[in-house]
Amino acid sequence: MIHKLEIDSVLFGFGSRKLLSDVYLKCETGKIIGLIGRNGTGKTSLFNIIYGTLTPNHKSIRLNEQSIRIPYKESGLIKYLPQYNFIPKQLTLKRIFSDFNLDFSLFEKLFIDFKTKYNSPINELSGGQRRLVEVYIIIKSTSKFILLDEPFSHLTPLLIETIKELIEEEKKNKGFLITDHLYNHIVDINNDLYLLADRKTHLIKNMKEIAFLGYIKEE
């Protein structure tokens, strides 16, 4: 069964400044949806609104045409990778993979540098290794929809390619909504691409539209 998550009628701002006022996004299981935009346009705020940890002035979030008030409280519906490190620093990789019900041996086959780190606390890893663990467990977690905020940050080009392959594999059973300032990686794998500009989302059909809306310079 294909599940459809829709977001619209979002109104959000700080004081007299409106940050989001005309937003529409649709994400379906089996698809990768990209969201790009300049810094400060509200991408992270929008992700937190979708997830349910930020309350806007108004919003409409629907799963299969049924209204959802707080998505993260719906079992098996949505997982979110924030920009910041979210795993408590004292937890070992053994505990983390157990909590997420994931097989560590599959992870270490992909990333052999972790073969000796099963019992290590996550704060003993490098910044890139820590981010890789967090990206992996969210991508592989059991959920209909996955929100990824800057998943490629702090990763090497080779690791980024592996993560993109994982997303492509996992989208068979999930829907992905991804934002990252390394937008070329999103363009590589997305099924639909939205640009957030002037408080609204624009469904992008070609790169010329991105240039026209001021996100990149037209070549």
Side-chain angles (χ1 to χ4, degrees), residues 56-179:
N57 304 92
H58 192 270
K59 69 177 180 181
S60 175
I61 300 177
R62 301 178 300 279
L63 174 66
N64 303 331
E65 308 297 338
Q66 299 297 314
S67 179
I68 301 293
R69 184 168 172 267
I70 306 177
Y72 78 86
K73 291 187 176 182
E74 300 288 328
S75 178
L77 175 59
I78 196 164
K79 289 288 192 301
Y80 176 39
L81 174 79
Q83 291 185 24
Y84 55 84
N85 295 128
F86 68 93
I87 296 176
K89 61 183 181 180
Q90 72 275 11
L91 294 187
T92 63
L93 294 186
K94 178 180 178 180
R95 170 67 184 275
I96 294 164
F97 277 75
S98 175
D99 286 351
F100 278 81
N101 197 27
L102 295 173
D103 187 344
F104 184 79
S105 66
L106 297 178
F107 176 74
E108 68 177 6
K109 284 180 182 177
L110 279 176
F111 310 106
I112 59 175
D113 289 346
F114 287 84
K115 281 188 175 293
T116 61
K117 302 185 184 298
Y118 186 51
N119 292 302
S120 299
I122 195 168
N123 68 325
E124 292 184 0
L125 305 180
S126 70
Q129 288 175 327
R130 185 170 181 175
R131 188 59 174 172
L132 178 60
V133 170
E134 293 179 332
V135 172
Y136 180 89
I137 62 174
I138 294 298
I139 289 173
K140 297 287 286 186
S141 60
T142 302
S143 185
K144 293 182 180 69
F145 294 96
I146 304 290
L147 306 180
L148 301 176
D149 194 347
E150 301 286 345
F152 307 126
S153 296
H154 309 297
L155 300 184
T156 65
L158 183 59
L159 290 178
I160 289 173
E161 292 306 314
T162 302
I163 290 300
K164 285 159 63 177
E165 291 173 5
L166 279 173
I167 293 171
E168 288 278 11
E169 179 183 330
E170 290 294 314
K171 83 170 186 179
K172 297 172 185 176
N173 302 305
K174 303 169 184 174
F176 284 87
L177 181 57
I178 307 174
T179 188

